[in-house]
Amino acid sequence: MHEDGNGDGRGVESAVSGSGVNQPEFLALERELTVLLRRARANQGEMAREVHPDLESSAYGLLVRLGECGGQRATELAAYIGVGKATMSRQLRALEELGLVAREPDPADGRAWLVTLTPEGQARVGRVREARRARYARRLADWDPREVTELARLLHELNRGMER
């Protein structure tokens, strides 16, 4: 059982009891997020295989992060993804062997290394992400663009709230 932020040993359940977690809106939210996350996991596996047939599903997020943020230290990537150093090292070695990432000296600290996408990695990840956005556009073609914008805004807020 998880403890609340006060560290008093009470479980999360007791900390939120009576606050409406059994209200229909939270039950619906839980159900819809469960479906969305299940589909997202399946899609991540498909996208990973589209980048490279031997790419592990869990490594796809690393490639996307590097594509969005540029070079990163392995420790930064591990913290972002939420894995330990050993797991990150193993994943980065596999990505290097596939020719998708490379390590280069960190110009800010000669003792450290930055992990970057190779040109091949950039091209493959770019193609897969573009195809994914095209699928979203097709599936949401009958939505009003303002609804798509609002959905993106709400998901952003949800993600920000989950970071706390």
Side-chain angles (χ1 to χ4, degrees):
M1 186 173 292
H2 300 287
E3 291 188 0
D4 69 6
N6 297 326
D8 65 1
R10 292 182 323 160
V12 171
E13 292 81 10
S14 64
V16 295
S17 63
S19 66
V21 296
N22 289 322
Q23 296 295 324
E25 61 270 18
F26 289 105
L27 294 170
L29 176 64
E30 178 191 21
R31 181 178 50 252
E32 296 305 325
L33 282 175
T34 298
V35 171
L36 178 67
L37 294 172
R38 185 175 50 243
R39 287 183 177 150
R41 278 190 296 277
N43 285 339
Q44 183 168 328
E46 291 172 19
M47 290 180 291
R49 286 185 297 281
E50 288 176 29
V51 169
H52 193 284
D54 297 329
L55 183 64
E56 288 184 26
S57 175
S58 60
Y60 178 77
L62 286 173
L63 297 176
V64 169
R65 178 72 174 178
L66 289 170
E68 290 178 346
C69 298
Q72 304 244 300
R73 291 183 181 185
T75 53
E76 294 170 323
L77 289 168
Y80 176 77
I81 300 293
V83 298
K85 290 180 189 178
T87 299
M88 182 55 54
S89 267
R90 182 185 60 75
Q91 286 185 336
L92 291 176
R93 258 192 318 279
L95 291 171
E96 280 182 296
E97 289 171 8
L98 295 174
L100 301 172
V101 302
R103 295 177 202 236
E104 56 188 47
D106 183 345
D109 180 353
R111 300 168 297 165
W113 294 86
L114 293 179
V115 179
T116 60
L117 287 178
T118 62
E120 178 70 13
Q122 288 174 347
R124 287 176 178 245
V125 170
R127 280 192 302 270
V128 170
R129 293 190 75 199
E130 188 174 320
R132 179 174 59 173
R133 286 190 305 274
R135 279 193 300 265
Y136 291 155
R138 283 191 306 274
R139 290 180 180 158
L140 301 177
D142 58 340
W143 284 39
D144 183 297
R146 291 173 297 202
E147 292 174 319
V148 177
T149 300
E150 180 65 2
L151 176 59
R153 186 190 71 74
L154 290 170
L155 287 171
H156 176 75
E157 288 299 316
L158 177 64
N159 285 327
R160 280 187 43 211
M162 296 296 183
E163 290 174 358
R164 293 183 212 144

